[in-house]
Amino acid sequence: MKFIDGQGVREMLFPFAEIRPVEEIRVGILSIKEKWQLILPCGYDVAIPSNLLPNHRHRQEIITSGHFTRAADDVYLERPWQIFQANATEIMHDFDLLTQHRVSQPLPASNRVLGQGHIFIEPGAIVECATINASAGPVYIGKNAEIMEGCLIRGPLALCEGAVLKMGAKVYGATTIGPYGVAGGEIKNSVIFGYSNKGHDGYLGDSVIGEWCNLGAGVSNSNLKNNAGEVRVYDHSTGQKISAGIKCGLLLGDYSRAAINTTFNTGTITGICCNIFGAGLTPGYIPSFSWGAFAHERYDFDKAIRDIRNWKQLKKQLLTDIEISRLRHIFDNQ
């Protein structure tokens, strides 16, 4: 199979299609590409829209006819906030794909559980002394993931491979913690991509956090305006603000970091590789390679690469030449 980007799709999904192909965006437990690989047998030479979330109708249609046809009930990711808006449905869909005809590892008796049949634990995961309510949605705990003591969890939840929930975390559905991510504090209806950290107290709600991001201690976001009105978010493709609905928190681009006690305004969107700090609420849009919340300075490229390399070394990963080339292209063409 091959994935085709529709006109303007990458721009409309800013900042999450800046570094990665659209089909590698994570929503639910899996990326879009991983979902298709599970529902379709190998060997089908079919063109698929890169932002289409698959379902079982697509599987039957492609197996029967050998091609994909658009239908009225197709679900496409066209805006970044749709990642968290679709997350509950996608966790449930992916949970079924990943656990069908499989048996979960046993859940230790130290945990308090509601909805036992909707919890699946992969080999190597550690779960002790947590309260888990899976009656509102499934809880998937990936290979070698860890839920530390005192965590309060309400599904749907996806804790992906190697990810960690720190002591006393309070997590509401529908939330995804990507591979090798670290999460703590209070989190609700958010997607954190792989290798990112929100390891301390602070609130994250109705948000999407890219890869290799870090939120310092006390970082919080607003997800609802004080007047409960419409949240309007900066659209990178037009430079205008458009509606994201009633609730939208933080949309944080890959490799971006926020200093302790940063307070993100409702519907804040940032670019790639920002170092965010400063007093008061952040502006609604922070461009790529910003040094500080108000973009008065630009992050020096060589220092940015040095800092990313340092962060990756903390998780025993290397910054590749391909990544540097992509970052340079964004820096030079901003």
Side-chain angles (χ1 to χ4, degrees):
M1 89 191 95
K2 62 181 178 181
F3 294 95
I4 307 297
D5 291 340
Q7 185 176 4
V9 165
R10 296 183 67 85
E11 278 288 304
M12 290 191 295
L13 285 169
F14 177 88
F16 303 113
E18 289 286 277
I19 293 293
R20 66 184 54 76
V22 171
E23 65 270 16
E24 292 181 8
I25 289 174
R26 186 177 303 277
V27 53
I29 305 172
L30 304 167
S31 70
I32 297 172
K33 181 178 181 179
E34 289 168 337
K35 298 173 197 290
W36 281 103
Q37 289 172 334
L38 280 178
I39 72 164
L40 270 185
C42 295
Y44 281 87
D45 184 18
V46 58
I48 299 168
S50 60
N51 61 331
L52 174 66
L53 301 179
N55 59 43
H56 290 292
R57 180 188 62 77
H58 298 130
R59 170 187 167 88
Q60 291 303 118
E61 177 187 81
I62 292 170
I63 290 174
T64 301
S65 69
H67 65 271
F68 161 76
T69 304
R70 291 178 181 266
D73 61 348
D74 287 342
V75 178
Y76 294 88
L77 288 183
E78 296 177 328
R79 297 294 179 183
W81 50 87
Q82 292 173 336
I83 297 170
F84 70 74
Q85 289 173 346
N87 207 42
T89 299
E90 290 302 305
I91 289 176
M92 291 185 278
H93 178 252
D94 293 348
F95 185 90
D96 290 342
L97 284 175
L98 288 167
T99 65
Q100 189 175 27
H101 307 308
R102 298 179 62 212
V103 177
S104 170
Q105 299 297 300
L107 185 68
S110 66
N111 297 284
R112 185 178 181 185
V113 176
L114 295 172
Q116 178 78 44
H118 299 288
I119 299 173
F120 194 93
I121 304 173
E122 296 283 5
I126 300 171
V127 189
E128 296 286 358
C129 301
T131 298
I132 304 174
N133 184 350
S135 59
V139 173
Y140 176 84
I141 303 168
K143 180 180 177 182
N144 298 328
E146 182 176 7
I147 296 178
M148 293 183 178
E149 54 272 25
C151 289
L152 302 175
I153 295 164
R154 176 181 286 267
L157 169 73
L159 187 69
C160 298
E161 179 176 350
V164 175
L165 276 183
K166 297 182 75 175
M167 290 192 300
K170 296 182 288 186
V171 184
Y172 301 82
T175 291
T176 296
I177 313 299
Y180 304 98
V182 176
E186 184 180 5
I187 306 173
K188 173 251 180 184
N189 191 201
S190 296
V191 178
I192 300 176
F193 289 6
Y195 297 96
S196 287
N197 304 322
K198 184 220 172 294
H200 305 286
D201 286 343
Y203 177 70
L204 183 73
D206 299 292
S207 296
V208 184
I209 306 299
E211 283 192 344
W212 295 107
C213 295
N214 189 72
L215 302 181
V219 171
S220 290
N221 76 272
S222 167
N223 64 331
L224 178 68
K225 295 177 69 173
N226 280 348
N227 62 6
E230 176 185 67
V231 180
R232 296 183 65 81
V233 177
Y234 178 82
D235 174 21
H236 193 257
S237 62
T238 64
Q240 305 298 314
K241 286 195 170 186
I242 61 174
S243 175
I246 299 300
K247 289 189 176 183
C248 184
L250 170 63
L251 305 166
L252 187 70
D254 300 271
Y255 306 109
S256 290
R257 300 178 297 279
I260 60 170
N261 293 325
T262 301
T263 306
F264 286 99
N265 213 335
T266 321
T268 296
I269 187 166
T270 88
I272 302 299
C273 199
C274 298
N275 193 358
I276 301 164
F277 55 88
L281 287 170
T282 63
Y285 171 58
I286 302 174
S288 295
F289 290 94
S290 289
W291 181 266
F294 297 92
H296 295 319
E297 295 183 49
R298 203 170 187 213
Y299 208 154
D300 178 83
F301 184 79
D302 290 336
K303 290 181 180 178
I305 294 302
R306 177 202 64 191
D307 295 345
I308 292 171
R309 186 175 282 117
N310 289 342
W311 278 101
K312 296 196 82 168
Q313 286 175 350
L314 291 176
K315 298 199 179 189
K316 297 179 171 56
Q317 298 292 312
L318 297 175
L319 182 63
T320 67
D321 290 342
I322 291 174
E323 288 175 291
I324 294 172
S325 177
R326 289 172 178 168
L327 289 165
R328 170 57 78 177
H329 177 77
I330 294 168
F331 185 87
D332 289 343
N333 290 278
Q334 184 176 327

